Amino acid sequence: MKNIAVLLSGRGSNFKAIYSSIEAGYIADARITTVVSNKAEAPGLQFAKDRGLNSYFVNPSEYGSRTAYDTVIIDILKSRKTDLVCLAGYMKLLSAKFVDTFKNRIMNIHPSLLPSFPGLNAQKQALDYGVKISGCTVHFVDKELDHGPIILQKAVEIKENDTVNDLSERILKEEHKIYPEAVRLFVENRLTLHNRKVNIDYS
Ligand code: GAR
């Protein structure tokens, strides 16, 4: 049984997709043991509370540095025997200490085909640039923003006259497929890293 912790800041639709995939048995042998938010009002945190999951709001304004803040979260996650940390719309940079503590056990989802368009408003960045295809990426997290070995990606075509909302919605649908899929592969021990590249065992 793998213990999953989710870090989020907002809506939490990717968290819900992972949660539902576990409930439905698509991801077997895993449970969400902890949900942490840096925002008290995050709807994703409320969803977790409503389901009786261990949920924590950790207030960044109470800590003087990113490392001090992350240390609190590390302690929570360690006490919950966390095997995998899923960032699901967690809009806060992780400290080096956090990344080292859970090395190769932190995943993130980002709404672009990385390495294109890291950072905020990835869908708007793609539209502003004029690319014809964007998409989403699940990757292991390293010390750079929206960076690290890529696990799964899905391309999404950009249509003429797409608004940021149109494109975000189409990408989000794919996010909700590839994130649970990546978690499932991790839980089934089918992901290995070689030279910073992810190999997937499909046998
Ligand atoms: C998602 O689109 C996710 O890819 C993005 O934030 C949104 C969170 O939605 N993450 C990033 O941009 C990370 N750099 P959600 O709260 O409904 O899962």
Side-chain angles (χ1 to χ4, degrees), residues 8-16 44 87-91 108-112 117-123 136-137 139 145-146 168 171-172 175-176 179:
L8 53 77
S9 304
R11 182 176 56 184
S13 71
N14 278 289
F15 155 50
K16 292 177 194 171
L87 307 185
Y90 185 62
M91 297 311 203
N108 180 43
I109 180 119
H110 184 74
S112 74
F117 312 126
L120 290 175
N121 305 317
Q123 303 93 333
C136 46
T137 303
H139 63 96
L145 175 67
D146 297 324
S168 301
I171 292 177
L172 194 65
E175 294 184 39
H176 296 165
Y179 209 173

Side-chain angles (χ1 to χ4, degrees), residues 112 115-118 121-134 158 164 167:
S112 74
S116 293
F117 312 126
N121 305 317
Q123 303 93 333
K124 181 173 186 305
Q125 290 186 56
L127 287 175
D128 287 351
Y129 194 96
V131 292
K132 304 296 185 196
I133 294 173
S134 191
I158 293 182
V164 172
L167 180 59

Side-chain angles (χ1 to χ4, degrees), residues 2-203:
K2 294 262 200 305
N3 294 329
I4 299 174
V6 175
L7 271 54
L8 53 77
S9 304
R11 182 176 56 184
S13 71
N14 278 289
F15 155 50
K16 292 177 194 171
I18 295 167
Y19 176 85
S20 307
S21 298
I22 293 173
E23 290 291 290
Y26 176 71
I27 302 170
D29 230 21
R31 57 188 172 195
I32 295 177
T33 50
T34 322
V35 176
V36 177
S37 174
N38 62 324
K39 302 273 185 197
E41 304 305 324
L45 187 62
Q46 191 58 48
F47 178 89
K49 281 183 193 158
D50 292 345
R51 273 143 198 88
L53 299 175
N54 281 286
S55 355
Y56 304 82
F57 160 56
V58 186
N59 189 347
S61 69
E62 288 176 14
Y63 302 92
S65 70
R66 183 173 297 150
T67 304
Y69 180 76
D70 278 1
T71 300
V72 174
I73 301 179
I74 289 168
D75 288 346
I76 294 171
L77 302 196
K78 277 189 171 171
S79 76
R80 311 285 314 157
K81 303 204 180 330
T82 300
D83 297 301
L84 174 67
V85 181
C86 291
L87 307 185
Y90 185 62
M91 297 311 203
K92 203 168 181 334
L93 274 174
L94 296 176
S95 61
K97 179 177 176 182
F98 192 104
V99 175
D100 286 337
T101 303
F102 295 101
K103 195 170 164 51
N104 300 330
R105 295 190 291 136
I106 310 167
M107 283 185 190
N108 180 43
I109 180 119
H110 184 74
S112 74
L113 294 177
L114 292 172
S116 293
F117 312 126
L120 290 175
N121 305 317
Q123 303 93 333
K124 181 173 186 305
Q125 290 186 56
L127 287 175
D128 287 351
Y129 194 96
V131 292
K132 304 296 185 196
I133 294 173
S134 191
C136 46
T137 303
V138 182
H139 63 96
F140 283 118
V141 170
D142 66 13
K143 288 171 189 162
E144 289 176 55
L145 175 67
D146 297 324
H147 192 269
I150 288 172
I151 303 166
L152 292 174
Q153 291 186 301
K154 179 75 185 183
V156 171
E157 209 172 319
I158 293 182
K159 298 180 182 166
E160 222 170 304
N161 305 322
D162 256 353
T163 63
V164 172
N165 267 352
D166 297 334
L167 180 59
S168 301
E169 261 181 38
R170 285 210 308 290
I171 292 177
L172 194 65
K173 272 193 193 143
E174 302 304 329
E175 294 184 39
H176 296 165
K177 295 178 195 161
I178 67 168
Y179 209 173
E181 167 74 1
V183 172
R184 185 170 73 90
L185 292 167
F186 181 93
V187 167
E188 294 177 1
N189 298 313
R190 286 156 64 187
L191 301 178
T192 44
L193 269 163
H194 297 287
N195 298 326
R196 295 185 36 82
K197 292 197 181 84
V198 176
N199 286 348
I200 303 177
D201 176 5
Y202 281 116
S203 61

